[in-house]
Amino acid sequence: MASFKPTKVQFLPKLGEKVTEDTLYWKNYKSPVQIKEFGAVTKIDFSPLAPHNYAVTASTRIHVYGLHSQEPIRSFTRFRDTAYGGSFRGDGKLLVAGSEEGLIRLFDICGRVALRQFTGHSKAVHVTSFLSDGFRVVSGSDDLTCRVWDVPSAVELSSITEHTDYIRALAPSKLNPDLFVTGSYDHTVKVFDMRSGSSVMTMQHGHPVECVLLYPSEALLVSTGGRYVKIWDLLKGGQELVSLKNHHKTVTCACLSSVGNKLLTGSLDRHVKVYNSSYKVVHNFDCDASILSMAVAPDDEVVAVGMTNGVLSVRHRKHKKDKETLTSRRRRGPSYRVFVKGKNFVPRQDDFLVSKPVKQYLRKYDKQLKSFEVSKALDTALQMWTRTSKPEVTVAVIIELNRRGTLKNALAGRNEESLTKILNFLLKHIFDPRFSRPLLTVGDIVLDLYRQVLHQSPVVERQLQRLMEVLGREAELQQELLQVLGILDTLFASLTPRKEVAALAALPVDQGPQLQAA
Amino acid sequence: MVETSDIRVVRCGGSKVNLTPPIISSDSRFVLCTSGDLVKVYSTRTEEWLHSLQGHTNQVTGITLNPANHLQVYSCSVDGTVKLWDFIDGILIKVQLVEVHETVEIFLSSGLCVSACPECFQLVSVHLPKSAEQEVEAKEMSAVSSHISKNPSCTAFGRGGEYIAFARHLQLNVYFFRKQKTYSFSLKATDKKGAKNAFTCIACHPTDDCIATGHEDGKIRLWRNFIHKKEYTYSTQHWHHNAVNTLCFTPEGTHLLSGGIESVLVQWQYGADNRKEFLPRLGGSILHISASSDGQLFCTSHSDNKITVIESSFKVCGVIQGLVKDAVLTDLMIDPRSKALVLNGKPGHLQFYSLLRDKHLYNLDIVQQEYIYEAGLDQFEVVKAAFDIKGSWLATVEERGKKSSDLEFFLKLWAFDERTQSFVLNTTITAAHTDRIISMCFSSSEETTMLVTAAEDSQFKAWCQGADADTQQDQNFWSCDFVGSYHKLNPTNCSFSADSSLLAVSFQEVITIWSPDTWEMLTTLCQPPGVIRDLCFGRLSCSKYLLGTTTKNLLCCWNLLTCELEWSTSVDVSKLQPDPFSENVAAFSYQSKHTDLFVFKPSEPRPLFTNKNVCSEKVHRAVFVPREEPLNSCDESTQWLNRSQLYFLTQNMDLLTFSTATEEDRMLSSSKQLVIDDSVAVTPFYLLLGKHRQQQQKLNTQSHPVSDKPQQTQGSVTIKELLHTPAHVLPAASVLCSMFVNSFLISNTGVQQDPLSWLT
């Protein structure tokens, strides 16, 4: 006697993106927290020290936020015009920022008033940064100069004018206090050495450079500008390694994640893209507005994105702890011990073993199918939890009923409540290509069965009207798709080169020796 | 059958065992059933086929135990004889010629035989004369009724042969032998609820005056008081949802067993009608039920050529499975590993059948769905299957929805698992094509496996076992590698060349040749009249030829080196089958109501062997089965059978083969050695002795060529004595021991043998 074979639930792979480890990692963020600033957010910088506060430069002020606070812990508002490029010193105690009026201000993180003011630039200073010794500040300005300032004396140490357009990108080296990289709207990226007082390397990006970024090893340099992201190998004398074109608008910012050194780029096309080590896009964040600035906290705890509409969107990483608290709230089943009770008993050699037939475990709908209770089986499969979280199980039961030729019986004799359940399920899943075929038969049978009594229930009638609408829309869409396919077919057909018939005839002769060898 | 130079067509194995109810011997050790013109004896405990009773020359239609001697069995056949056998030893005791044209069925009771003849289905009682002669003619006959149902289960003896009950359509008749009188009772065709009342089967209570009848709508009626014409009564019970196929009372009459298409054995308690027990999912629909005389065992025979042995506690204890040939949709195939014949078996399964041993090996569940036993239900069925050359992959196509418009089908790929020694599902492809798959073949190269499917959606697809780089999983699944089409024509067939360097796909009237490495179409071959039906490449020295048959009675052979037609002849070929071990190709042609066979080499259009009038039906399925050891016949006409044997299936589902004279001689010599001594149960003691026997047997076989059937030779006298003397009269074991051990020593004088070799 063969045992009952349970209903087979087919797991059809979902079309579209393939789930990789990277997508899982980058999906593991909570939904973003939106913080409204006064103007476009031009710079975000994380403090390198433990609480990892971050400074957000927007409009005429710089706000410092804690990792989990939505209100600024501190704000620097003593700017007469728009502030630019607020960035922390390596110890996280000082902050430097440029401004539209050409002044560079240095703040203590605890105070409110500027400790130093560096004057000298004649035009707006968009980028400022500390050099890695912490005693000097470097700045790049729209007056085409690049200046280095001494912090203790507030004196200009040197001024270099090599760029021929606005300087909008700057990255100091962390390993050498005398090196820094600048990018400019004159399409070049230059590496400066303070010891020689001039540029030591120049790379042609080909577009106005918006952002430069050094890898922690400082062997690779990233520059963004136009739609391109370019990676340069500094050890090979500034040779271009890769050129990426994944955005369809200007790429404004780039940063590195601290886990695995993944490159992230943000663009005016409102996307943040994550690249793996071989520079393939592995994940994509969508934002509401064009992205101007972006930063990732150490350990990838937080991804902060600043946009043109003045919204700062902050994503926090999900932790396992949060999940555990969720699951502990659920009802606890019997413990593991209950199930393994007596299972690990090893019989001795001379014990006589009486084998007990293994009880076949069947799902509830399978039990009902086994005893031919078709309506009940359909009810079980349409239960709330199953139909929302595992629609493939519901569909599998429907297919099984159809195969048994009893789907009509199972659908017949239902009241308004259970009929709405079925119709809701249809409305939700009838377009899913995995399910549409069996569900269309269900729709047909429901219409056949209840045609006479439909008008008695306004609820069911409304649902059927909705079903008709969405089906009509879907049919139109399919038609359009077919039209597009036809257009593409003609295009492809005209593109493929015509083969000469004579060449075909000659080929089989070459097959001769091969065949004889066989 | 026409004999041509020692080769003749023989029926081989796998005949029906479910034609008549099986019978169980009174000691419950044997099950007897009819199988073609044999009566086969099986052991109930081991399910092994012990021996068969040979002697009838046509289909055996009924068997029954001799009521006077429970070690004897009567059998009747369409050849017009009734024979009496000693079934333990397989000895024919008596032959009775019955002067009816053809005996169709017998029912026996106390020396009285009732037989029916086929034209009008008469019920005739024949008195079997008591005489000592071996062959007697039974002349004393009297007709009981001239109109009975042709279904033999509609006739039954009651109460030790006092009366006989038989039903036809809506009428139940009871004939009392004493009174020589018939009472008849009739039912209306339909009652108020629209039930169909026609009788389908009858059983009589062994001790009580009660007749149980089964009906077409699944009702069971119990008739009582039928001695009176008017005051009869009946009670009705209803469980079966379709016609009741068979009914059977247990020997004590405490229970009634019933079965039908649902494949559920129902046990009704006699007297307490509402108490039933069920044994579901037994296999195909139940055709017959029989009970042993002590009531300990039941036997059910099923429509899928199977006999199930069931204990009285409702537990299945044995299954005797024959070759299922009812609905063969797949081609005949040979499993390259086990060399077993593979074809459709149980619904949704593939069966593996060993042709050498005429034994069912196992069923492989392809569909993996609960089969609903209901008439007229459209369920998944395996329609195509293919093995790769090493037997490590199996591809199957299952299909549902032949009747309705929406066709559902799955393409499944199975990998051979070395550990479990069976096929394990690897990949299921749900929408492989948009329409029915017509043809499917694996590439024949050893290194890479590739599957090509051709479907009615005018495309063919190549499937490869590709490691998908993106999913990063270690398991290798199959995925589509290439989609090809030719001018939107429907493909009809596809075939790989012997070295897999070429793929031929026929699109209606055009054959396209593709290179599987680059998926480039190399050339097209076209022979205008007729759609291509079959396609095959030549092998070995003829690998430069491609053969094709068309619907317009043409057999063409192309030379692939010149891309020209080499030769063509006008034959209506229904099946073209290449031999994988030689250059030969067999072609079955159907002309003027009989099938001819031609065996030829593609290099020369003159056939090697021709056999006219092989059978009268069309042949659509054939297969070459490799021989275990090649024959070394030098005769030109039989040479093609040296390496492999040709089996084919006719439209009537007869499995036939060709056998040569030398082969038959060998079979005959081996069957002479058969000594019926198989009644010994397999006990540890038997195994010990069996070892000894086996050694002896091997010594014996040195003089004879190896035979196909297991041989039994007589053991030494000592062992015979040991076995056949009852235990209580045997001397003490210490006395026997030396004698017993000595008997082993003698056999060692022969060639040295590995004593464990018989175990393997």
Side-chain angles (χ1 to χ4, degrees):
Chain A
M1 186 180 90
S3 55
F4 180 83
K5 289 172 198 157
T7 311
K8 249 207 144 136
V9 180
Q10 284 198 339
F11 291 99
L12 292 171
K14 263 192 182 171
L15 293 175
E17 274 183 64
K18 289 210 173 80
V19 179
T20 57
E21 270 182 40
D22 287 306
T23 27
L24 288 180
Y25 182 83
W26 291 104
K27 275 213 167 149
N28 195 18
Y29 282 94
K30 295 176 195 167
S31 51
V33 177
Q34 310 268 1
I35 301 168
K36 181 76 184 152
E37 292 287 340
F38 292 99
V41 181
T42 52
K43 173 85 181 171
I44 304 168
D45 192 31
F46 275 92
S47 160
L49 279 200
H52 300 307
N53 297 336
Y54 54 100
V56 176
T57 315
S59 183
T60 57
R61 45 194 89 190
I62 298 176
H63 290 299
V64 178
Y65 291 93
L67 261 195
H68 294 284
S69 69
Q70 292 194 35
E71 290 295 317
I73 321 176
R74 202 161 295 283
S75 49
F76 304 98
T77 53
R78 301 288 173 92
F79 292 97
R80 250 159 272 143
D81 211 334
T82 318
Y84 291 115
S87 53
F88 283 101
R89 195 165 80 166
D91 58 358
K93 283 180 182 156
L94 292 179
L95 186 80
V96 67
S99 71
E100 186 68 44
E101 67 224 349
L103 276 179
I104 300 163
R105 290 184 178 83
L106 186 80
F107 298 94
D108 182 14
I109 204 73
C110 302
R112 299 178 67 89
V113 188
L115 291 179
R116 299 277 187 282
Q117 285 202 359
F118 307 114
T119 47
H121 280 297
S122 57
K123 279 188 181 166
V125 179
H126 274 263
V127 281
T128 54
S129 184
F130 283 96
L131 287 175
S132 61
D133 58 4
F135 305 124
R136 285 177 289 174
V137 167
V138 63
S139 63
S141 160
D142 286 359
D143 62 4
L144 317 183
T145 59
C146 217
R147 294 175 199 225
V148 181
W149 312 83
D150 186 35
V151 172
S153 58
V155 173
E156 182 186 314
L157 292 178
S158 67
S159 166
I160 311 163
T161 317
E162 285 198 16
H163 283 293
T164 54
D165 208 335
Y166 300 159
I167 298 168
R168 288 291 166 89
L170 177 74
S173 154
K174 291 218 171 67
L175 303 179
N176 189 328
D178 291 320
L179 283 181
F180 61 91
V181 185
T182 58
S184 153
Y185 277 9
D186 64 359
H187 301 190
T188 58
V189 177
K190 284 178 192 279
V191 181
F192 291 97
D193 191 344
M194 281 309 294
R195 290 165 294 196
S196 66
S198 63
S199 69
V200 289
M201 217 181 271
T202 305
M203 285 146 282
Q204 285 294 335
H205 182 83
H207 292 270
V209 180
E210 294 283 350
C211 174
V212 289
L213 180 71
L214 276 167
Y215 267 73
S217 66
E218 296 188 357
L220 295 179
L221 172 73
V222 182
S223 65
T224 72
R227 295 168 57 193
Y228 292 89
V229 177
K230 291 192 175 176
I231 320 284
W232 311 88
D233 193 341
L234 293 182
L235 297 183
K236 280 191 184 166
Q239 193 187 346
E240 185 183 313
L241 200 66
V242 221
S243 173
L244 306 168
K245 192 178 149 191
N246 293 99
H247 289 283
H248 52 267
K249 278 187 182 168
T250 305
V251 186
T252 51
C253 52
C255 65
L256 287 172
S257 78
S258 48
V259 179
N261 279 337
K262 299 271 158 57
L263 178 68
L264 286 87
T265 57
S267 151
L268 294 181
D269 65 2
R270 304 191 284 188
H271 292 298
V272 175
K273 304 224 178 216
V274 184
Y275 302 84
N276 64 7
S277 50
S278 53
Y279 301 108
K280 282 215 173 111
V281 178
V282 289
H283 194 66
N284 189 24
F285 292 109
D286 291 344
C287 293
D288 308 327
S290 301
I291 297 159
L292 286 181
S293 57
M294 176 176 59
V296 179
D299 296 332
D300 299 347
E301 284 301 310
V302 176
V303 176
V305 176
M307 285 168 279
T308 46
N309 59 355
V311 172
L312 174 72
S313 135
V314 184
R315 285 164 212 258
H316 291 276
R317 198 164 174 73
K318 275 186 208 162
H319 284 284
K320 273 189 184 160
K321 258 188 209 164
D322 306 336
K323 260 187 201 164
E324 271 167 23
T325 49
L326 269 175
T327 48
S328 63
R329 243 178 270 158
R330 270 190 216 148
R331 191 175 59 85
R332 286 189 63 191
S335 69
Y336 176 68
R337 258 201 325 233
V338 175
F339 294 111
V340 296
K341 205 173 183 181
K343 287 272 161 65
N344 44 10
F345 176 75
V346 182
R348 264 169 292 168
Q349 206 173 17
D350 44 347
D351 279 352
F352 183 73
L353 256 163
V354 180
S355 60
K356 207 169 61 174
V358 183
K359 203 185 164 197
Q360 194 191 7
Y361 175 74
L362 291 177
R363 303 244 163 223
K364 197 177 172 193
Y365 55 81
D366 272 335
K367 276 183 198 158
Q368 283 156 342
L369 281 174
K370 191 180 171 187
S371 50
F372 293 88
E373 294 170 322
V374 286
S375 289
K376 278 186 190 167
L378 187 59
D379 283 338
T380 317
L382 278 170
Q383 268 170 358
M384 191 60 177
W385 187 79
T386 319
R387 75 164 190 261
T388 48
S389 63
K390 282 188 175 172
E392 63 267 17
V393 171
T394 315
V395 174
V397 171
I398 289 173
I399 292 173
E400 172 70 16
L401 289 173
N402 190 27
R403 184 180 72 89
R404 292 174 171 222
T406 46
L407 186 56
K408 202 165 184 174
N409 305 16
L411 286 168
R414 288 180 178 268
N415 55 11
E416 189 184 69
E417 191 191 348
S418 59
L419 201 60
T420 37
K421 247 192 227 173
I422 294 169
L423 287 173
N424 272 331
F425 186 76
L426 287 189
L427 273 172
K428 193 171 173 194
H429 292 289
I430 204 158
F431 308 118
D432 196 329
R434 298 177 292 165
F435 308 141
S436 58
R437 222 165 120 165
L439 292 186
L440 280 173
T441 20
V442 172
D444 282 347
I445 293 174
V446 166
L447 283 182
D448 281 351
L449 283 172
Y450 298 97
R451 201 186 313 151
Q452 259 85 41
V453 289
L454 277 180
H455 59 274
Q456 292 173 10
S457 156
V459 184
V460 174
E461 216 173 351
R462 215 178 308 132
Q463 273 177 326
L464 279 174
Q465 259 165 4
R466 266 183 64 204
L467 193 64
M468 195 177 76
E469 275 170 33
V470 277
L471 276 175
R473 227 180 298 147
E474 179 72 15
E476 272 174 33
L477 190 70
Q478 292 288 342
Q479 204 175 353
E480 278 174 32
L481 281 175
L482 281 176
Q483 282 170 357
V484 171
L485 210 65
I487 295 168
L488 286 178
D489 266 352
T490 43
L491 281 177
F492 283 130
S494 62
L495 281 177
T496 43
R498 269 170 200 285
K499 266 188 204 163
E500 290 301 316
V501 185
L504 279 175
L507 264 172
V509 184
D510 301 342
Q511 292 287 324
Q514 216 176 333
L515 276 166
Q516 272 175 340
Chain B
M1 311 284 166
V2 180
E3 282 198 31
T4 3
S5 65
D6 306 340
I7 295 185
R8 95 193 168 94
V9 180
V10 290
R11 217 169 277 269
C12 74
S15 26
K16 276 191 171 183
V17 294
N18 59 355
L19 194 75
T20 56
I23 53 174
I24 308 174
S25 68
S26 55
D27 53 357
S28 302
R29 273 166 58 196
F30 305 108
V31 175
L32 286 88
C33 63
T34 64
S35 165
D37 47 7
L38 308 174
V39 176
K40 284 189 175 177
V41 183
Y42 291 91
S43 158
T44 52
R45 222 173 299 164
T46 61
E47 307 155 26
E48 284 294 315
W49 172 37
L50 299 178
H51 57 265
S52 50
L53 312 178
Q54 286 174 311
H56 282 292
T57 53
N58 211 330
Q59 179 72 47
V60 182
T61 50
I63 44 170
T64 181
L65 283 177
N66 187 357
N69 182 352
H70 60 80
L71 294 177
Q72 292 175 348
V73 67
Y74 279 105
S75 69
C76 73
S77 155
V78 184
D79 62 5
T81 57
V82 175
K83 289 183 177 175
L84 182 65
W85 310 81
D86 180 337
F87 62 84
I88 293 179
D89 295 336
I91 299 165
L92 179 64
I93 299 172
K94 214 183 231 182
V95 181
Q96 268 126 5
L97 300 171
V98 179
E99 278 292 304
V100 197
H101 297 294
E102 275 176 6
T103 319
V104 161
E105 189 69 32
I106 59 163
F107 315 94
L108 272 184
S109 168
S110 56
L112 190 88
C113 160
V114 179
S115 55
C117 81
E119 294 103 44
C120 53
F121 289 97
Q122 260 185 334
L123 193 62
V124 181
S125 91
V126 181
H127 193 263
L128 298 176
K130 287 195 176 98
S131 75
E133 287 170 63
Q134 249 248 317
E135 202 167 316
V136 284
E137 214 166 302
K139 282 180 178 160
E140 214 176 306
M141 286 193 288
S142 56
V144 174
S145 168
S146 54
H147 290 286
I148 61 155
S149 163
K150 62 179 175 183
N151 183 0
S153 55
C154 279
T155 315
F157 275 107
R159 226 171 152 183
E162 269 183 35
Y163 58 88
I164 184 164
F166 49 96
R168 187 167 176 265
H169 299 311
L170 292 160
Q171 200 172 38
L172 172 69
N173 304 295
V174 184
Y175 176 79
F176 291 92
F177 289 107
R178 258 326 135 62
K179 292 189 231 168
Q180 307 247 323
K181 233 174 156 184
T182 310
Y183 292 137
S184 53
F185 317 97
S186 54
L187 292 166
K188 278 179 198 157
T190 50
D191 61 9
K192 282 175 222 154
K193 288 173 183 168
K196 289 176 278 180
N197 280 334
F199 288 91
T200 53
C201 54
I202 284 186
C204 298
H205 196 276
T207 52
D208 215 356
D209 270 337
C210 174
I211 299 173
T213 59
H215 298 265
E216 248 177 33
D217 55 348
K219 277 185 188 139
I220 294 171
R221 287 192 171 85
L222 291 171
W223 301 73
R224 290 190 181 83
N225 213 12
F226 44 80
I227 301 160
H228 308 284
K229 221 165 183 180
K230 290 275 159 67
E231 292 104 56
Y232 68 91
T233 59
Y234 64 77
S235 59
T236 312
Q237 285 152 13
H238 200 171
W239 183 87
H240 294 275
H241 65 72
N242 267 7
V244 185
N245 276 347
T246 176
L247 286 168
C248 174
F249 276 103
T250 55
E252 291 87 15
T254 50
H255 292 100
L256 172 67
L257 299 161
S258 70
I261 194 172
E262 310 88 349
S263 182
V264 182
L265 181 65
V266 189
Q267 189 179 38
W268 310 75
Q269 199 166 1
Y270 184 68
D273 297 334
N274 294 326
R275 296 177 63 181
K276 324 181 254 288
E277 267 188 79
F278 304 105
L279 187 63
R281 285 182 285 280
L282 286 170
S285 60
I286 297 176
L287 297 181
H288 310 285
I289 305 173
S290 55
S292 72
S293 56
D294 58 354
Q296 287 305 305
L297 286 179
F298 305 132
C299 253
T300 55
S301 66
H302 301 264
S303 60
D304 54 354
N305 208 9
K306 183 172 87 169
I307 296 174
T308 315
V309 185
I310 298 159
E311 282 172 16
S312 57
S313 58
F314 257 48
K315 239 190 203 167
V316 175
C317 65
V319 174
I320 297 161
Q321 174 82 58
L323 181 67
V324 189
K325 299 181 296 189
D326 291 335
V328 180
L329 299 163
T330 61
D331 275 336
L332 299 182
M333 283 164 299
I334 296 297
D335 177 18
R337 275 173 199 269
S338 61
K339 304 279 182 281
L341 181 72
V342 181
L343 65 160
N344 280 112
K346 271 160 60 174
H349 289 63
L350 279 182
Q351 62 177 334
F352 287 68
Y353 195 87
S354 165
L355 285 166
L356 283 172
R357 288 184 287 146
D358 194 14
K359 190 173 189 292
H360 186 270
L361 298 180
Y362 67 97
N363 275 320
L364 181 68
D365 188 358
I366 301 291
V367 171
Q368 297 181 332
Q369 263 177 347
E370 178 74 5
Y371 189 79
I372 309 296
Y373 288 97
E374 195 181 309
L377 204 58
D378 190 13
Q379 308 201 52
F380 276 106
E381 199 46 81
V382 186
V383 290
K384 290 267 180 311
F387 283 97
D388 80 331
I389 196 152
K390 282 180 288 183
S392 50
W393 288 99
L394 166 68
T396 58
V397 178
E398 63 205 57
E399 212 175 81
R400 179 183 168 265
K402 274 157 236 142
K403 295 162 201 160
S404 58
S405 55
D406 54 331
L407 178 84
E408 289 176 59
F409 64 93
F410 295 106
L411 173 64
K412 282 181 177 170
L413 285 137
W414 305 75
F416 190 79
D417 188 5
E418 293 282 353
R419 201 169 47 78
T420 54
Q421 289 292 307
S422 69
F423 284 94
V424 178
L425 185 60
N426 179 276
T427 313
T428 309
I429 300 163
T430 38
H433 285 271
T434 50
D435 210 339
R436 176 175 290 128
I437 291 177
I438 291 178
S439 174
M440 178 164 79
C441 64
F442 270 103
S443 76
S444 33
S445 74
E446 297 260 338
E447 302 91 52
T448 52
T449 44
M450 182 191 288
L451 177 74
V452 170
T453 55
E456 274 178 351
D457 59 354
S458 73
Q459 281 178 338
F460 75 90
K461 289 187 181 178
W463 307 86
C464 272
Q465 189 199 7
D468 200 348
D470 295 334
T471 47
Q472 295 165 353
Q473 277 163 325
D474 359 318
Q475 271 178 306
N476 281 328
F477 295 111
W478 288 71
S479 53
C480 188
D481 186 45
F482 177 74
V483 183
S485 63
Y486 183 78
H487 290 285
K488 299 272 177 220
L489 288 173
N490 270 354
T492 50
N493 224 317
C494 58
S495 172
F496 270 102
S497 69
D499 60 348
S500 290
S501 63
L502 293 177
L503 168 71
V505 184
S506 61
F507 290 92
Q508 303 293 352
E509 290 155 9
V510 185
I511 299 173
T512 56
I513 310 281
W514 304 74
S515 152
D517 301 322
T518 56
W519 289 119
E520 204 175 355
M521 192 167 77
L522 300 175
T523 187
T524 55
L525 304 169
C526 185
Q527 189 62 36
V531 176
I532 306 285
R533 193 188 274 158
D534 258 327
L535 202 61
C536 75
F537 279 92
R539 313 239 157 208
L540 304 172
S541 66
C542 298
S543 60
K544 61 179 173 184
Y545 296 106
L546 173 67
L547 291 164
T549 61
T550 65
T551 49
K552 294 268 174 70
N553 305 348
L554 211 58
L555 172 63
C556 307
C557 176
W558 282 275
N559 187 336
L560 289 170
L561 299 180
T562 56
C563 292
E564 277 168 3
L565 191 67
E566 190 87 2
W567 53 265
S568 69
T569 56
S570 173
V571 213
D572 182 16
V573 178
S574 61
K575 175 71 191 173
L576 195 66
Q577 184 67 34
D579 182 0
F581 301 96
S582 64
E583 296 98 337
N584 302 329
V585 177
F588 288 92
S589 88
Y590 185 71
Q591 265 170 344
S592 57
K593 296 199 173 167
H594 60 82
T595 296
D596 303 332
L597 169 76
F598 303 99
V599 180
F600 59 96
K601 280 185 185 174
S603 51
E604 45 190 313
R606 199 179 54 83
L608 291 171
F609 170 78
T610 319
N611 195 344
K612 297 269 181 196
N613 201 356
V614 172
C615 59
S616 53
E617 301 100 19
K618 249 189 179 177
V619 173
H620 280 295
R621 291 177 173 83
V623 71
F624 275 100
V625 182
R627 285 186 193 274
E628 275 201 331
E629 51 202 287
L631 296 177
N632 34 17
S633 150
C634 305
D635 190 0
E636 200 176 297
S637 64
T638 57
Q639 240 173 1
W640 64 281
L641 282 170
N642 275 357
R643 305 277 311 268
S644 45
Q645 214 172 350
L646 180 64
Y647 284 81
F648 59 96
L649 201 62
T650 63
Q651 272 183 332
N652 287 358
M653 297 298 168
D654 287 323
L655 189 64
L656 305 174
T657 186
F658 293 92
S659 89
T660 58
T662 47
E663 239 183 315
E664 272 166 33
D665 288 347
R666 210 168 62 175
M667 293 280 280
L668 213 66
S669 64
S670 72
S671 67
K672 269 182 191 162
Q673 291 166 17
L674 272 180
V675 172
I676 313 299
D677 196 19
D678 262 334
S679 52
V680 186
V682 183
T683 56
F685 189 57
Y686 169 79
L687 285 177
L688 196 69
L689 291 173
K691 174 180 176 178
H692 168 67
R693 268 199 208 174
Q694 197 84 11
Q695 284 172 346
Q696 267 207 336
Q697 179 189 323
K698 280 195 178 156
L699 290 178
N700 287 349
T701 48
Q702 282 172 349
S703 52
H704 303 286
V706 181
S707 63
D708 291 342
K709 287 191 178 171
Q711 303 173 349
Q712 270 80 35
T713 50
Q714 280 177 314
S716 74
V717 186
T718 328
I719 288 146
K720 272 242 134 148
E721 250 181 40
L722 266 173
L723 278 174
H724 290 277
T725 326
H728 63 274
V729 291
L730 273 178
S734 55
V735 181
L736 281 174
C737 186
S738 61
M739 190 172 79
F740 180 61
V741 170
N742 275 337
S743 74
F744 281 119
L745 290 175
I746 301 158
S747 63
N748 255 3
T749 52
V751 182
Q752 286 235 322
Q753 303 241 341
D754 182 9
L756 287 173
S757 64
W758 65 277
L759 271 173
T760 52

